[in-house]
């Protein structure tokens, strides 16, 4: 018996985008048929979420981790509030995935934790100019925000933590005492 063909991630993303568009269109159409269709989708989602939760109940730690690492399954686990990893760990991993790209641009980014429902990241701009240079820091902040909220929608916002650049103190100042 041949194994069923699986959708590649881009095909899944295209279908999810289309699904969002169809649901938005459906929800904006008045009438009892619309309410019935939206309720049907809600109930179907709830039933599939319950089925996925039962799978996770039977999974050992290694299988649960493998399921959570799959991009589509990970999103579904988050959607149904059954992801085995805490929000902090998922968010930190998302930041670590972006770190090489930020470092290629001459900057750096690291997860600084969460304060309630707000995630915090430490961003450093490239070129030794600190966080106020503007050289694409807004783009990096937006990319980090998007990546973190995609894996941790429990967070409501992701904000950069201001990091002061270390002040340069010449070594001679520290080793030479002035004369009285």
């Amino acid at each position: 018996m041949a194994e069923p063909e699986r959708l590649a991630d881009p095909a899944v993303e295209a279908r999810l985008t289309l699904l969002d568009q169809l649901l938005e269109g459906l929800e904006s159409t008045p009438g009892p048929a619309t309410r019935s269709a939206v309720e049907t989708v809600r109930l179907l989602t709830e039933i599939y979420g319950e089925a996925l939760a039962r799978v996770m109940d039977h999974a050992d730690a290694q299988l649960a981790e493998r399921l959570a690492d799959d991009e589509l399954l990970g999103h579904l686990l988050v959607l149904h509030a059954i992801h085995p990893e805490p929000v902090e760990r998922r968010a930190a991993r998302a930041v670590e995935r972006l770190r090489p790209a930020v470092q290629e641009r001459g900057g750096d980014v690291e997860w600084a934790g969460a304060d309630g429902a707000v995630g915090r990241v430490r961003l450093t701009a490239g070129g030794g100019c600190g966080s106020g240079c503007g050289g694409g820091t807004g783009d990096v902040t937006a990319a980090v925000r998007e990546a973190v909220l995609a894996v941790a929608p429990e967070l409501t916002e992701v904000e950069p933590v201001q990091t002061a650049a270390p002040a340069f103190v010449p070594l001679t100042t520290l080793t030479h005492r002035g004369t009285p």
Side-chain angles (χ1 to χ4, degrees), residues 74-139:
H75 285 293
L76 289 173
L77 294 171
V78 167
L79 174 71
H80 294 288
I82 54 175
H83 200 289
E85 280 188 313
V87 173
E88 288 264 351
R89 193 173 311 148
R90 284 183 272 138
R93 193 170 60 231
V95 170
E96 279 304 309
R97 283 187 194 130
L98 284 177
R99 196 171 196 191
V102 173
Q103 288 173 334
E104 279 181 13
R105 296 176 74 172
D108 202 3
V109 62
E110 62 182 304
W111 179 247
D115 182 12
V118 178
R120 307 267 189 230
V121 292
R122 251 188 271 341
L123 286 170
T124 307
C129 61
S131 60
C133 300
T137 308
D139 294 343

Side-chain angles (χ1 to χ4, degrees), residues 25-35:
L26 185 61
E27 289 174 339
S28 66
T29 306
T34 296
R35 286 190 296 276

Side-chain angles (χ1 to χ4, degrees), residues 133-159:
C133 300
T137 308
D139 294 343
V140 171
T141 302
V144 170
R145 179 180 295 118
E146 183 179 322
V148 169
L149 293 178
V151 299
E154 301 93 331
L155 299 174
T156 57
E157 187 57 60
V158 178
E159 297 175 350

Side-chain angles (χ1 to χ4, degrees), residues 42-56 76-77 79-82:
R42 188 192 66 72
L43 287 171
L44 185 61
T45 302
E46 187 178 313
I47 292 297
Y48 279 122
E50 177 60 23
L52 187 56
R54 290 179 184 198
V55 167
M56 294 302 287
L76 289 173
L77 294 171
L79 174 71
H80 294 288
I82 54 175

